[in-house]
Amino acid sequence: MVETDETTRKRETVNRIVFPTTDAESTLPLYVVNWTPSHPDPALFDARESLEKVAFSSLSKRQLSGTLRNGIFSAQEASKTELPAGSVLIKSRTSIELAAGQHVSLCTFFNAFPASYWQRWTKVTNVRFIAKVGGVGRIVVMKSSARGIPSTVTTIPVAQEDEFVEADISLSGFMDGGFIWADMESASNDSLTVTDAQWQVPTQERRAPHNSSLSIAITTFNRPSYCLNQLQTIAAEKNLRDHLDTIYCVDQGTDRVQDQPDFQQTRELLGQQLTYILQDNLGGSGGFSRGMYETVKAQKSAYVLLLDDDAITEPEAILRALQFSDYATRPVLVGGGMLHLDNRTVLYSSGERFDASSAMPAPATGTHYNHDFAVNPLRDTPELHKRINPDFNGWWLCLIPTEVLKKIGLSMPVFIKYDDVEFGLRAKENNIPTICLPGVAVWHQAWHDKDISRTWEEYFAQRNRWLCTLMHFPVPSKKFAFRMLYEDAHLGTKLLYSAMKLNHMALRDLTEGPEYIVRCLPQKLAEVRKAREGFTDSLVLHNLDDFPAALADYEPTFIPSDPKTVTKMGLKSVISAFFSQSSGIKDAHPQVSIMSKDAIWPAFNKVSSALVTTADGNGAAWFKRDSKLYRKELFRCVHLAANILKQWNKLSRLYRESDFCSINTWQRIFNQSSK
């Protein structure tokens, strides 16, 4: 939607305020919450308040009681953010009606305008709120600072007759953070309806000269119903399809999307906006790279959007990412957050960084994983009002300019794992930042029901993690060798000897160089699966009665401690396991039964064998201690880690100077694997 104001300057809608019409009972706090008074923490006003710790020993019983009482009252007030039954009627995706005497806030994940990001990354200097209203009440336009402190911008009274209301807000003062949003209040004796509320910006500030188009890359492997649902969701969104060139649906499975009952109907509905591709299973890296490659080759789209096949999409999020990219002052990667599929209001990640000290992903500076907006709404979570600067964004949803692909290449040819991390770091080195834009997200299955150390994925996770580190940290560090050894030892304390073997296989393959990584891509999965065979921890049975009964159930007794103490205890556990003479190979019964959620190293201390359920709850394996094998494998890891550290400079230069991420390399791979 484009509007022309009195000075003939055109404005374009870049954020529509939307509401859930399905699954509203589980997602509503992401869109609208009940209004409650704001009570900022005093520490928000002065950072020095954060320098001193609380001296609990000096608190009187009365002071402690008062502190706890205030916390309880605050929690009770926070719980009131849930909308009372019958207070709000969602009439459509863009229309909401408040019953008489209701007051709601749109300071929510999906409906607060990310002012800080627009000020930082675009030339836009003001934004306009516009909406069609009816009934009696008022709309209060609010803003927050980077501290999360709210203030009123303007109040718009609403009369009985239907009318359009608007307000212009300056995008200044948001450099460090802050949002703009609308609160809505109906009169005590009348309802209030708000329809087609939007945030508009002047089109003259666009970097792109016209409405840009995108292609969408979806890769799938034996998830045909999920993938078809994703296609149907996109097909139903007219606003999105107006910007869509085509969807590259890359099917790498044997249970194919094209064989689903409703596929042909969906294909006819999308027409030329669906390009269905069959190819050998090259993993997520190969599937997404095929979509990138085809987009570059077609020369039609300004962007390619990488989208997981099994994610549930908020279609408005895709449009927001696209339109933000059009206004960014330079090419950027625009990603979105990942919300839990089984806990729909929980945000797993809002952008991540690569921690060089651990060679592992971590939350972007100033953020944390797994924030529940139903418990702590955006309005009441000051730390989420700060603008963040991530290193990368997960490829559950990430918009990449085609010109970036031409400049820096496609994904690493690594099957799965760390392809998104490495691409983000590579882009950053080429002055192409990643932006995890608030209000952009998909729902995706969370990681808590997965344990890759008990699957073939462990190989790819470890190999690609260190490959990513080699490519972007050319100076070797003793910390790298320590992490290789410590984590290998940690696997052994959990009796995961198959994972230790895969870890060593991964470290050894790193030294083979980039041409080997490319050459082994099509067949590496089969090789890794074969390598796991023969270990007790890899033999999963789906009926517990197929095992002898465990002698006892494990009960966690670990006392929480500070991080340094936990690390020391972990090292003691490694030393104990290393010198142990215990063996569970000949055990007639598992010594203990351990639930998957408790299967961390303390559970295995002094245990000869354990029956451990899988993270997905569909099976179990009988882990058996083999102390001789543990020592043998640890010595092997010492040799491998020392060898890699010794060759680090040479290997890093070899990978950094190679072209194995190039479009030409991927073209060669696809020519060999297309069906």
Side-chain angles (χ1 to χ4, degrees):
M1 178 177 179
V2 176
E3 296 288 336
T4 305
D5 63 19
E6 65 279 0
T7 62
T8 71
R9 291 177 61 200
K10 291 183 178 180
R11 288 182 175 267
E12 178 181 19
T13 298
V14 292
N15 275 58
R16 294 187 308 161
I17 291 175
V18 294
F19 304 100
T21 54
T22 59
D23 301 324
E25 68 281 356
S26 57
T27 63
L28 199 58
L30 297 171
Y31 296 86
V32 57
V33 294
N34 195 39
W35 182 88
T36 56
S38 175
H39 299 292
D41 189 304
L44 295 176
F45 298 103
D46 190 346
R48 289 173 293 185
E49 294 279 352
S50 302
L51 297 179
E52 298 180 5
K53 66 180 181 180
V54 174
F56 283 100
S57 60
S58 65
L59 283 177
S60 68
K61 287 185 177 180
R62 183 173 181 178
Q63 289 172 322
L64 179 60
S65 175
T67 300
L68 294 174
R69 185 172 62 252
N70 290 337
I72 292 171
F73 289 157
S74 296
Q76 289 175 342
E77 187 170 272
S79 69
K80 295 177 183 178
T81 58
E82 184 177 348
L83 294 171
S87 62
V88 167
L89 171 65
I90 296 174
K91 303 177 73 174
S92 72
R93 279 279 284 161
T94 58
S95 182
I96 188 172
E97 181 179 345
L98 279 63
Q102 299 303 313
H103 197 173
V104 302
S105 177
L106 298 182
C107 186
T108 56
F109 179 80
F110 278 125
N111 280 329
F113 183 78
S116 178
Y117 293 79
W118 279 84
Q119 179 180 347
R120 168 63 181 89
W121 296 109
T122 78
K123 292 182 179 179
V124 174
T125 57
N126 68 89
V127 61
R128 173 173 292 176
F129 172 80
I130 183 171
K132 182 180 179 181
V133 297
V136 180
R138 64 175 185 164
I139 295 175
V140 182
V141 179
M142 305 287 295
K143 68 176 182 178
S144 66
S145 66
R147 301 174 189 266
I149 300 172
S151 60
T152 300
V153 178
T154 187
T155 299
I156 306 171
V158 178
Q160 182 65 47
E161 68 275 3
D162 287 348
E163 61 177 339
F164 281 95
V165 297
E166 63 182 48
D168 289 340
I169 304 100
S170 171
L171 285 183
S172 62
F174 295 106
M175 189 58 71
D176 288 338
F179 290 88
I180 305 172
W181 68 92
D183 290 342
M184 301 180 293
E185 183 178 11
S186 57
S188 59
N189 58 353
D190 208 333
S191 62
L192 173 67
T193 301
V194 179
T195 304
D196 293 333
Q198 303 165 11
W199 299 100
Q200 299 181 340
V201 299
T203 57
Q204 68 179 30
E205 306 299 351
R206 293 173 61 98
R207 179 175 61 90
H210 53 79
N211 286 336
S212 301
S213 62
L214 79 161
S215 289
I216 298 176
I218 300 175
T219 181
T220 187
F221 177 79
N222 291 348
R223 288 172 174 163
S225 60
Y226 290 96
C227 187
L228 181 60
N229 181 67
Q230 190 72 280
L231 297 177
Q232 290 170 332
T233 298
I234 296 170
E237 288 294 321
K238 182 183 182 304
N239 288 335
L240 174 56
R241 290 184 62 184
D242 287 343
H243 297 272
L244 178 64
D245 287 323
T246 192
I247 304 167
Y248 292 107
C249 180
V250 183
D251 196 337
Q252 305 183 122
T254 54
D255 187 3
R256 294 176 177 168
V257 181
Q258 66 179 4
D259 297 330
Q260 292 292 294
D262 296 331
F263 175 77
Q264 194 57 38
Q265 180 183 358
T266 305
R267 187 172 204 164
E268 291 173 0
L269 182 61
L270 285 166
Q272 293 183 344
Q273 288 183 313
L274 176 61
T275 303
Y276 186 70
I277 300 171
L278 294 174
Q279 74 176 23
D280 292 339
N281 184 18
L282 301 177
S285 174
F288 280 137
S289 287
R290 183 62 181 271
M292 298 183 212
Y293 170 76
E294 295 292 343
T295 301
V296 172
K297 187 172 71 171
Q299 299 185 42
K300 291 182 179 180
S301 304
Y303 307 96
V304 59
L305 179 84
L306 308 185
L307 186 63
D308 261 345
D309 60 339
D310 59 344
I312 295 179
T313 304
E314 166 52 80
E316 189 68 21
I318 299 176
L319 281 172
R320 291 174 181 177
L322 172 66
Q323 291 169 314
F324 181 85
S325 294
D326 278 349
Y327 282 85
T329 55
R330 54 186 161 122
V332 296
L333 311 185
V334 180
M338 189 191 99
L339 295 153
H340 285 213
L341 196 57
D342 49 2
N343 293 280
R344 302 288 289 276
T345 58
V346 177
L347 179 68
Y348 165 72
S349 167
S350 55
E352 296 174 88
R353 60 185 172 88
F354 188 74
D355 181 12
S357 64
S358 65
M360 291 281 285
T365 303
T367 70
H368 59 272
Y369 291 128
N370 300 315
H371 179 87
D372 190 350
F373 286 104
V375 177
N376 297 294
L378 175 63
R379 182 197 58 218
D380 301 325
T381 313
E383 60 268 26
L384 292 185
H385 290 244
K386 294 183 294 186
R387 181 176 51 79
I388 64 170
N389 299 293
D391 288 337
F392 71 95
N393 197 95
W395 280 359
W396 43 77
L397 184 154
C398 189
L399 187 73
I400 304 173
T402 310
E403 62 184 293
V404 170
L405 300 177
K406 294 176 180 178
K407 180 178 181 180
I408 72 171
L410 312 183
S411 164
M412 291 192 299
V414 293
F415 197 78
I416 59 170
K417 303 297 181 186
Y418 282 85
D419 43 0
D420 48 6
V421 181
E422 190 282 327
F423 189 89
L425 294 177
R426 194 180 348 142
K428 185 178 180 179
E429 289 180 358
N430 283 273
N431 199 32
I432 303 163
T434 294
I435 299 163
C436 187
L437 189 64
V440 175
V442 297
W443 287 273
H444 191 279
Q445 192 62 47
W447 313 135
H448 53 255
D449 63 349
K450 299 179 181 180
D451 183 354
I452 63 172
S453 66
R454 295 180 61 181
T455 73
W456 52 266
E457 294 183 34
E458 175 69 11
Y459 166 83
F460 293 101
Q462 294 305 323
R463 187 198 67 179
N464 301 344
R465 164 197 180 189
W466 292 111
L467 176 55
C468 178
T469 310
L470 277 165
M471 290 183 66
H472 298 286
F473 296 90
V475 179
S477 168
K478 291 181 180 179
K479 290 182 179 180
F480 297 157
F482 172 78
R483 297 300 302 192
M484 292 175 191
L485 288 168
Y486 179 79
E487 287 160 25
D488 196 59
H490 175 255
L491 291 171
T493 61
K494 298 190 297 181
L495 315 185
L496 285 169
Y497 304 124
S498 70
M500 293 181 77
K501 181 171 183 178
L502 295 188
N503 187 27
H504 302 162
M505 187 176 173
L507 296 177
R508 187 169 55 249
D509 285 355
L510 276 177
T511 62
E512 296 293 329
E515 184 54 38
Y516 173 80
I517 301 295
V518 174
R519 190 172 65 250
C520 76
L521 175 60
Q523 70 273 8
K524 199 64 187 183
L525 175 58
E527 184 182 335
V528 171
R529 287 183 183 274
K530 184 71 175 176
R532 291 190 72 239
E533 294 178 1
F535 292 91
T536 58
D537 62 88
S538 67
L539 180 59
V540 175
L541 302 179
H542 300 290
N543 188 340
L544 288 176
D545 290 335
D546 291 336
F547 298 99
L551 300 179
D553 291 330
Y554 171 72
E555 179 67 27
T557 58
F558 191 86
I559 300 173
S561 304
D562 62 88
K564 286 186 178 180
T565 301
V566 172
T567 300
K568 289 179 181 178
M569 294 176 72
L571 288 171
K572 287 181 180 179
S573 179
V574 169
I575 294 170
S576 175
F578 182 82
F579 288 104
S580 172
Q581 299 302 313
S582 174
S583 173
I585 296 173
K586 296 182 179 181
D587 282 8
H589 291 263
Q591 184 179 345
V592 293
S593 175
I594 302 175
M595 298 176 67
S596 62
K597 71 179 183 65
D598 298 322
I600 56 178
W601 61 265
F604 295 89
N605 282 338
K606 299 181 181 180
V607 170
S608 62
S609 69
L611 187 62
V612 188
T613 52
T614 56
D616 62 7
N618 288 323
W622 187 359
F623 292 16
K624 297 181 180 182
R625 186 177 296 277
D626 188 337
S627 297
K628 290 183 179 179
L629 178 61
Y630 182 50
R631 285 188 284 273
K632 177 182 176 182
E633 295 300 323
L634 268 185
F635 282 127
R636 179 172 287 139
C637 188
V638 169
H639 171 74
L640 289 167
N643 184 43
I644 288 177
L645 203 65
K646 181 179 179 181
Q647 298 188 65
W648 191 277
N649 298 99
K650 183 183 75 173
L651 287 171
S652 179
R653 184 170 59 254
L654 185 64
Y655 282 110
R656 288 171 67 88
E657 294 177 357
S658 73
D659 70 339
F660 84 138
C661 300
S662 72
I663 293 174
N664 290 337
T665 296
W666 274 107
Q667 183 178 32
R668 175 160 51 96
I669 294 170
F670 296 140
N671 288 341
Q672 296 169 354
S673 63
S674 293
K675 297 179 180 177

